[in-house]
């Protein structure tokens, strides 16, 4: 009796284990930011795309393939020629994701590595088409315009393969060594030209200043001559008094010079005598 009970319990346990194993293989989970496409051994890839969550499948007949549908960055390097035949190295950073509504078609035609199959060729194609419309200098001065045009062209081409692009930007742009050297030499030449232009303008201003000073001195000489001929020695006496006043003001500000007035009367009968200037050593 006990043996029969043990045998029955074993059968129930075995049956429950088989049932649980079957349920485990029949269920699968789709994580957030992912979708699943189902491969059926009779029908191939099914059109229905499974959303996030737990789903049922027919064991041994259906296999789920989980795909990431979040925006994924990819860098596309390329080398192409400009309108003026300069070689340029450009790198694009592309944020891409698949169109969920066409995910089954993407997996059926391109496979799980769809981005590696499509984006490099599309990126280089758009780079060559756009860069060929600009000169080398325009790629630097109009970089935003070039980047926008590449983004528009690449987005349109990617839609043909059911790929959505959230952002496209130029992350690296460089020229060959010869072109870089010629640009540096051009900048140096422009700076030298600006410096020479400044020196010429400075010399011209100094020349005008010298002419103005000469004209002023000539007019002053004419005025002095006219004053002498008109007023005689009176003008010279006024200039002498002005010069003496300037000298006295200068000496008064000096710390090493003292003035000692004379106590006696002058020989010419004047009321004031001449003083004595003493220079004191510091």
């Amino acid at each position: 009796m006990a043996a029969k009970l043990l045998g029955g319990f074993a059968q129930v346990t075995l049956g429950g284990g088989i049932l649980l194993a079957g349920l485990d293989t029949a269920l699968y989970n789709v994580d957030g930011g992912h979708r699943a496409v189902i491969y059926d051994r009779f029908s191939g890839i099914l059109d229905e795309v499974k959303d996030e969550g737990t789903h049922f499948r027919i064991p041994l007949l259906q296999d789920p393939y989980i795909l990431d549908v979040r925006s994924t960055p990819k860098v596309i390097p390329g080398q192409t020629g400009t309108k003026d035949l300069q070689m340029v190295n450009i790198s694009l950073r592309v944020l891409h994701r698949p169109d969920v509504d066409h995910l089954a078609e993407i997996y059926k035609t391109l496979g799980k590595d769809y981005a590696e199959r499509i984006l490099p060729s599309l990126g280089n194609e758009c780079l060559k088409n756009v860069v060929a419309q600009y000169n080398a200098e325009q790629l630097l001065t109009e970089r935003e315009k070039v980047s926008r045009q590449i983004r528009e062209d690449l987005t349109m081409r990617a839609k043909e393969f059911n790929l959505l692009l959230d952002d496209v930007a130029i992350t690296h742009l460089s020229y060959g060594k010869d072109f870089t050297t010629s640009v540096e030499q051009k900048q140096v030449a422009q700076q030298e030209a600006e410096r020479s232009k400044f020196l010429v303008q400075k010399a011209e201003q100094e020349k005008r200043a010298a002419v103005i000073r000469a004209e002023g001195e000539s007019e002053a000489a004419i005025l002095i001559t006219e004053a002498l001929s008109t007023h005689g020695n009176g003008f010279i006496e006024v200039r002498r008094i002005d010069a003496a006043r300037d000298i006295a003001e200068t000496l008064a500000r000096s710390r090493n010079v003292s003035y000692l007035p004379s106590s006696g009367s002058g020989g010419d009968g004047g009321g004031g005598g001449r003083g004595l200037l003493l220079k004191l050593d510091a």
Side-chain angles (χ1 to χ4, degrees):
M1 186 67 180
K4 290 182 178 181
L5 290 175
L6 291 174
F9 180 75
Q11 290 178 358
V12 171
T13 304
L14 180 60
I18 294 174
L19 179 61
L20 291 175
L23 289 174
D24 183 64
T25 56
L27 298 176
Y28 65 94
N29 293 321
V30 179
D31 296 331
H34 295 73
R35 298 291 186 275
V37 295
I38 303 299
Y39 170 72
D40 188 276
R41 283 175 171 78
F42 293 107
S43 304
I45 299 295
L46 302 181
D47 294 334
E48 183 182 4
V49 178
K50 300 296 183 179
D51 295 330
E52 304 167 358
T54 301
H55 303 276
F56 176 80
R57 72 184 178 94
I58 302 175
L60 303 179
L61 292 180
Q62 293 181 340
D63 294 320
Y65 293 96
I66 310 298
L67 300 176
D68 191 347
V69 296
R70 296 171 295 183
S71 291
T72 304
K74 182 175 181 58
V75 176
I76 304 175
Q79 185 180 47
T80 184
T82 61
K83 187 177 181 180
D84 53 353
L85 303 180
Q86 297 292 335
M87 296 304 297
V88 58
N89 298 311
I90 298 183
S91 293
L92 291 179
R93 181 185 61 86
V94 180
L95 288 178
H96 66 88
R97 56 187 173 88
D99 187 349
V100 176
D101 295 335
H102 299 84
L103 193 60
E105 181 181 353
I106 294 174
Y107 188 84
K108 187 185 301 183
T109 57
L110 300 176
K112 194 172 184 178
D113 56 344
Y114 57 88
E116 296 295 334
R117 293 173 179 266
I118 296 300
L119 288 179
S121 59
L122 292 184
N124 279 279
E125 175 188 348
C126 293
L127 277 176
K128 294 180 184 297
N129 291 338
V130 174
V131 171
Q133 303 175 24
Y134 295 88
N135 294 328
E137 293 185 2
Q138 290 178 315
L139 292 181
L140 297 175
T141 58
E142 303 179 19
R143 181 166 178 167
E144 178 60 29
K145 179 180 178 181
V146 175
S147 180
R148 183 172 61 254
Q149 186 173 348
I150 292 174
R151 179 168 60 252
E152 293 173 354
D153 292 355
L154 186 56
T155 300
M156 292 181 59
R157 293 286 287 122
K159 282 184 178 179
E160 299 176 6
F161 298 90
N162 299 312
L163 300 182
L164 304 178
L165 303 184
D166 295 328
D167 184 60
V168 179
I170 297 175
T171 57
H172 174 74
L173 192 152
S174 63
Y175 298 95
K177 183 178 180 181
D178 294 339
F179 179 78
T180 303
T181 302
S182 64
V183 171
E184 293 176 353
Q185 292 176 350
K186 181 179 179 180
Q187 293 294 330
V188 172
Q190 289 178 347
Q191 293 176 359
E192 290 294 332
E194 290 295 330
R195 184 173 181 273
S196 300
K197 181 179 179 181
F198 170 75
L199 292 177
V200 170
Q201 292 177 347
K202 181 180 179 182
E204 184 68 21
Q205 293 295 332
E206 292 177 349
K207 179 180 177 181
R208 292 179 181 177
V211 171
I212 293 173
R213 283 196 300 270
E215 292 177 350
E217 292 175 356
S218 177
E219 292 180 359
I222 294 174
L223 292 175
I224 292 173
T225 302
E226 292 178 352
L228 290 175
S229 61
T230 304
H231 304 287
N233 295 332
F235 178 76
I236 297 177
E237 185 65 19
V238 172
R239 295 298 297 270
R240 185 185 68 80
I241 294 173
D242 291 339
R245 185 175 62 249
D246 294 338
I247 294 173
E249 291 177 355
T250 302
L251 293 176
R253 290 192 296 267
S254 177
R255 297 181 179 180
N256 299 329
V257 176
S258 297
Y259 177 76
L260 298 179
S262 177
S263 58
S265 60
D268 55 356
R274 294 183 179 179
L276 179 62
L277 291 177
L278 296 179
K279 183 176 180 183
L280 302 180
D281 294 333

